Amino acid sequence: IAEILDMYDVDGIELDFTRSPYFFNPSEAWDKREILTQFVRDIGKLLAETGARRGRPLTLILRIACLERALTTAGIDLQQWVKEKLAPIFVLSELVNNYNQSLEPWRSRCREAGVLLYPVVELGPAANAAPDFYSPQIRNPLAPRHDGQVRTSNDERIRMHRAAAQNYLAQDPDGIAMFNFPCWLAEGKNIMHTDPAEFRHVTALLSELGNLETLSLKDKRYTFYKELPIYVEANRPRRYHQTIPFMILGDDIRDATVSLRFRWIAEKNPHAGGVFRQNTMVKPGLIKVYLNDVEISEEKLQRAKA
């Protein structure tokens, strides 16, 4: 880092502590967290000294995984980093777009410390593969293929990115960061010169994601793969119901048309005796569906075989 600061006229340094946070043996990481904290202090001091020689401040940005277990097993004392204001900008990420992510308590801590908080709109959605950074990246074998294997078009991805930004901005952060997006303008033909319409299409997000007003009334797509699958036993009393939680924030939702889509598959009850083949189609009326505690009638459910 010192070499970069010495050789190049940069405006600052970003330290990415999310790709991937294996700085210590995970079982020893929290006991060694002061080592990493001191490292960040040293980098901040280096930038301050370089900026003083050049007559202008250099910015330090810290990109950090905000999951508690990841912080502990990586030895990142994020609460202390924010408290000491080790950087003016903290970029917090789950490495995926989790549409149920709350920015608290980090938003309040950053406000109190006087640092900027930028949540990240990532390229892809949260899946139900691994629960955190330190678990094997193995997809749930019982789940339908609704996670990372799903193929989405550019239009579908754009709607998903709008939704992620909408949920963040409605929680009043200081801005939005974007990460891991492919360089559409450099892949294949140079669409910047050959197809102005396509260029505007793939760059439209850059002028939309930073403000609730520019996102308002635009189509959005929310995914909740992380909360799936859930298992419902037919004919049980309602008090044993299963719930899919989802969070959609923003005032313009009040005037929106919302479609909820999900896949359901009938399986043999593991406690049932005998040998038989279970029809995978869920018969109408077998499962009751409630939205915000209001029952949805069969007439309002549209079914299609897949």
Side-chain angles (χ1 to χ4, degrees):
I1 294 174
E3 183 177 292
I4 291 174
L5 294 174
D6 183 59
M7 295 178 62
Y8 302 98
D9 186 22
V10 297
D11 297 304
I13 293 291
E14 179 181 20
L15 300 178
D16 188 346
F17 290 98
T18 67
R19 311 286 288 197
S20 290
Y22 290 88
F23 309 116
F24 309 102
N25 184 318
S27 64
E28 303 171 353
W30 192 245
D31 291 335
K32 296 181 177 181
R33 62 189 182 277
E34 179 58 27
I35 296 174
L36 204 57
T37 299
Q38 187 57 49
F39 169 74
V40 177
R41 290 192 193 108
D42 292 342
I43 299 302
K45 182 180 178 182
L46 183 61
L47 265 70
E49 293 172 348
T50 305
R53 289 198 303 270
R54 294 183 179 173
R56 63 183 178 88
L58 299 182
T59 301
L60 177 61
I61 300 176
L62 301 178
R63 175 175 146 89
I64 304 169
C66 56
L67 299 169
E68 287 293 342
R69 174 169 157 78
L71 295 174
T72 302
T73 48
I76 297 175
D77 192 351
L78 180 55
Q79 191 166 344
Q80 184 66 27
W81 293 14
V82 171
K83 184 178 179 180
E84 290 189 32
K85 197 176 179 178
L86 295 187
I89 300 174
F90 283 79
V91 175
L92 298 188
S93 174
E94 287 194 17
L95 278 191
V96 287
N97 291 323
N98 174 13
Y99 295 88
N100 285 333
Q101 183 179 353
S102 172
L103 299 185
E104 291 293 355
W106 299 114
R107 186 188 64 169
S108 296
R109 290 169 178 168
C110 287
R111 290 279 166 84
E112 184 177 349
V115 300
L116 301 179
L117 171 66
Y118 284 70
V120 182
V121 174
E122 299 277 354
L123 176 64
N128 63 358
D132 56 52
F133 296 92
Y134 293 93
S135 299
Q137 294 294 318
I138 300 175
R139 189 180 64 85
N140 184 338
L142 298 178
R145 276 201 176 278
H146 57 240
D147 59 7
Q149 300 297 325
V150 69
R151 300 196 181 280
T152 54
S153 65
N154 264 353
D155 286 333
E156 289 173 321
R157 282 194 296 268
I158 286 174
R159 291 196 291 269
M160 291 162 68
H161 298 144
R162 287 174 182 155
Q166 170 107 355
N167 269 4
Y168 286 141
L169 290 171
Q171 299 180 64
D172 195 27
D174 296 296
I176 292 289
M178 297 171 65
F179 187 78
N180 217 27
F181 283 72
C183 188
W184 287 317
L185 305 185
E187 294 179 354
K189 65 178 182 178
N190 190 333
I191 58 177
M192 188 173 185
H193 298 293
T194 59
D195 191 343
E198 183 65 13
F199 173 74
R200 289 192 298 271
H201 175 73
V202 299
T203 56
L205 281 175
L206 298 177
S207 60
E208 290 182 4
L209 296 195
N211 194 298
L212 284 173
E213 292 184 3
T214 53
L215 285 171
S216 179
L217 305 181
K218 300 284 179 61
D219 288 344
K220 303 175 185 73
R221 175 176 174 173
Y222 299 78
T223 63
F224 304 99
Y225 304 143
K226 192 174 183 179
E227 284 72 31
L228 298 174
I230 64 172
Y231 294 90
V232 180
E233 191 171 349
N235 301 318
R236 296 191 75 186
R238 188 187 168 201
R239 64 179 178 273
Y240 300 111
H241 74 289
Q242 298 291 310
T243 301
I244 304 173
F246 59 90
M247 183 168 69
I248 301 177
L249 303 177
D251 291 338
D252 65 334
I253 194 68
R254 298 174 185 174
D255 301 318
T257 299
V258 181
S259 299
L260 302 179
R261 294 185 176 92
F262 53 93
R263 299 178 183 178
W264 47 9
I265 298 174
E267 295 182 348
K268 175 185 175 182
N269 188 309
H271 304 294
V275 178
F276 66 93
R277 176 187 176 277
Q278 170 66 54
N279 188 327
T280 58
M281 302 304 296
V282 179
K283 296 180 180 179
L286 187 64
I287 300 294
K288 289 186 177 181
V289 179
Y290 294 81
L291 175 62
N292 294 336
D293 210 37
V294 176
E295 184 176 354
I296 305 300
S297 65
E298 279 292 332
E299 291 74 27
K300 292 184 178 180
L301 296 176
Q302 297 181 8
R303 299 169 181 268
K305 291 183 179 181

